[in-house]
Amino acid sequence: MNWLLVVVGGAIGAPLRYLTDRTVQTWHETLFPWGTFAVNVAGSLVLGVLAGATVSSATYALVGTGLCGALTTYSTFSYETLRLAERGKGLLAGAYVSASLLVGLGAVWAGWELGAL
């Protein structure tokens, strides 16, 4: 039954990622991939909350694996980093990688603390 919850969560997370990415990216006129950065940080925060709250396996399947799995995107993060580097924006690519790791880890930690309350 958990597989169905993953499917439902993914069906919500994938369009949410697309819409959030497009919306956030229109607010910024820069090569920095703010949309992907935003969904990855938001997904890290939500996953941290779930982990800190010690939710049921069904909730984790729906929200953690399904929604967060479809909302966040390592492949797009990797691709956008490569594209920045190919465009001669190595410093920006490095900043993107560093910020994604630091802010993502900070978000999952903050979520964990919030979930544990």
Side-chain angles (χ1 to χ4, degrees), residues 30-98:
T30 179
L31 289 177
F32 191 88
W34 287 107
T36 302
F37 182 78
V39 295
N40 286 341
V41 170
S44 295
L45 180 67
V46 171
L47 201 54
V49 169
L50 291 176
T54 316
V55 298
S56 70
S57 64
T59 300
Y60 193 85
L62 175 68
V63 182
T65 304
L67 182 104
C68 288
L71 177 66
T72 61
T73 172
Y74 186 76
S75 58
T76 302
F77 161 73
S78 299
Y79 173 75
E80 289 170 343
T81 302
L82 178 65
R83 294 292 300 168
L84 287 170
E86 287 178 341
R87 292 178 179 160
K89 304 293 183 185
L91 187 60
L92 189 57
Y96 179 45
V97 169
S98 298

